Amino acid sequence: MIALQPIETPPQAEALPKAEFGLALGGGGARGLAHIPMLEACDELGVKPGVISGTSIGALAGAAYASGISGRELRDYCAGMFASRTQAVKSILQRWNGSLWDYWNPLTPSLINCVKLIETVMPVGTAKTFAELRIPLIVVTTDFYGQKAHVIREGELFPAIAASAALPALFKPVEINGRFLIDGGFVNPLPCDLLTGLARVVAAIDVSGSPAEERDKPPGTMETMIGSTQIALQTIIAEKLKCARPDILIAPDVARFRVLDFLKADEIWAASQPAKEAFKRALEARFKRASA
């Protein structure tokens, strides 16, 4: 059994009023597109989370939603961006700001400036700071040298969510206040525990997927590097859930999709539809009947 490090308490958490409903959005790369139908479920029922915690792709989705961008608007935006490889490049170039060197240093070709990329790809209307958010957001990152979780809920938003998604071998670590931060999935890939005491009902969306299916050929270099991260992520979540579970736990059936399968957005959303319906039923059971 692995030993899990204590999770850092969000700063000033005691200052937040207790919410009726808190939503935790986990990490999982492109599988995290499955968060969007769950956000649509909240909108369709009129049940808004009072606080959101997010790791990696969950932090990105949470930042957009907490800024006031609806689940449907987020789906439409991603559908346009990921319609094809050409469209994805075109969408980025349309909002390109700066030189190639700002995004990618040819001397270290595997390391992309994640902050610049996030500034380019996040939907227009995303808040620039935590203070501008309509819903309080807690972002999970990993302090590389501190070797522990580091949560952020104040200051500039884009560097924080970039750090939460800064997967090694693809993105440079993000420096914030003297800390070098990487993907939060290494320490807390499903941050439902950060909502304990902050919400009466905690729901968590686990998009980590199940272990990869066996294939008849060995994985490539990039698949091995990224896939090994997913193994760690799934292991941490499994151990966490043995100790404590959120009130509502939803795991969309997205295991067959790879971490970089962003061009399969429509397929991911179709695969997530049963989970969306299950989430709506769970929310209705908790809130709609209670208010009747």
Side-chain angles (χ1 to χ4, degrees):
M1 179 174 179
I2 64 172
L4 300 181
Q5 293 186 350
I7 299 300
E8 183 176 332
T9 302
Q12 301 177 355
E14 68 281 356
L16 286 174
K18 189 167 185 176
E20 186 69 12
F21 167 41
L23 180 62
L25 303 175
R31 296 166 178 169
L33 290 170
H35 287 315
I36 295 175
M38 309 309 141
L39 298 175
E40 290 177 328
C42 294
D43 292 336
E44 291 165 11
L45 292 175
V47 179
K48 288 281 190 180
V51 60
I52 299 172
S53 62
T55 297
S56 197
I57 189 71
L60 274 63
Y65 192 70
S67 297
I69 298 170
S70 71
R72 185 70 215 188
E73 290 169 336
L74 193 53
R75 180 193 287 250
D76 290 343
Y77 175 78
C78 291
M81 172 166 285
F82 301 126
S84 67
R85 194 178 306 276
T86 300
Q87 183 58 46
V89 173
K90 182 179 178 181
S91 298
I92 292 174
L93 290 178
Q94 286 176 340
R95 297 176 59 185
W96 189 277
N97 180 23
S99 66
L100 177 62
W101 193 274
D102 294 330
Y103 291 79
W104 174 69
N105 185 337
L107 299 179
T108 54
S110 65
L111 297 179
I112 299 169
N113 186 327
C114 196
V115 178
K116 291 297 294 184
L117 184 62
I118 291 299
E119 291 173 351
T120 302
V121 303
M122 288 298 287
V124 174
T126 304
K128 299 298 190 295
T129 68
F130 282 83
E132 297 171 1
L133 293 171
R134 300 184 184 182
I135 300 172
L137 176 68
I138 300 169
V139 172
V140 180
T141 71
T142 300
D143 182 342
F144 183 80
Y145 289 117
Q147 299 184 20
K148 63 181 180 180
H150 177 66
V151 298
I152 306 173
R153 59 172 300 268
E154 58 186 2
E156 294 185 34
L157 183 62
F158 286 173
I161 60 177
S164 187
L167 186 66
L170 284 179
F171 300 111
K172 298 177 182 178
V174 177
E175 183 180 2
I176 299 178
N177 297 329
R179 299 176 189 263
F180 290 91
L181 307 173
I182 61 173
D183 195 306
F186 288 105
V187 288
N188 196 355
L190 187 63
C192 49
D193 51 331
L194 296 183
L195 301 180
T196 301
L198 297 181
R200 187 179 69 83
V201 174
V202 175
I205 311 301
D206 177 9
V207 294
S208 64
S210 58
E213 296 180 0
E214 292 188 11
R215 300 187 177 94
D216 58 2
K217 62 180 181 179
T221 302
M222 184 59 69
E223 185 179 3
T224 300
M225 288 190 297
I226 296 177
S228 59
T229 301
Q230 294 304 296
I231 293 171
L233 183 150
Q234 293 160 3
T235 302
I236 293 171
I237 292 175
E239 293 297 325
K240 258 181 73 170
L241 294 178
K242 290 178 182 178
C243 303
R245 298 177 69 89
D247 300 291
I248 299 172
L249 176 62
I250 301 294
D253 183 16
V254 292
R256 66 181 179 274
F257 301 102
R258 299 185 182 185
V259 174
L260 298 180
D261 276 346
F262 287 97
L263 298 182
K264 295 183 178 180
D266 286 337
E267 295 177 48
I268 292 172
W269 291 327
S272 303
Q273 187 62 29
K276 175 183 177 181
E277 297 305 319
F279 189 36
K280 289 178 74 170
R281 290 193 297 271
L283 289 175
E284 285 181 318
R286 287 281 179 172
F287 297 107
K288 289 293 184 178
R289 293 173 187 171
S291 61

